[in-house]
Amino acid sequence: MSPKNDRSAEDIRRSAERMKRARDEPGVSPLRGLGAFGIIGWSIAVPTVGGAFLGLWLNDVAPQNFSWPIALILGGVVAGGIIAWSWIEREGPDRKGDKR
């Protein structure tokens, strides 16, 4: 073989190694951050809206001196914040999706 052919074979080998490494060790997707915003948003929004609807129902069923919807909206925000915090701790950037 000529040196030109040896160089081409070396280029092909390095290219194949890069492709194999890319398959074996995929990088973090840029869409992962967008997905994280969605998960965090839904984990706060669902308990908050659920608390509002439950509060409206409780106002009719068990009226009190305080407003059920306001109390349960605040409870939903706190519960959603705790859920979001635990998700961030579990899936944070230093973990890369690994579970404990």
Side-chain angles (χ1 to χ4, degrees), residues 12-92:
I12 293 170
R13 183 189 61 76
R14 277 187 280 151
S15 177
E17 285 176 357
R18 278 195 308 267
M19 288 174 23
K20 183 179 182 323
R21 191 174 33 238
R23 273 193 309 265
D24 294 343
E25 303 168 11
V28 177
S29 170
L31 296 177
R32 185 171 189 250
L34 188 61
F37 280 121
I39 293 291
I40 292 168
W42 281 109
S43 67
I44 294 172
V46 169
T48 303
V49 173
F53 284 123
L54 181 62
L56 289 172
W57 178 74
L58 282 174
N59 263 352
D60 291 336
V61 174
Q64 295 290 323
N65 293 334
F66 60 89
S67 173
W68 279 110
I70 292 174
L72 293 180
I73 285 172
L74 292 175
V77 168
V78 170
I82 292 169
I83 293 168
W85 186 275
S86 69
W87 188 88
I88 291 170
E89 286 293 313
R90 189 177 63 238
E91 299 288 331

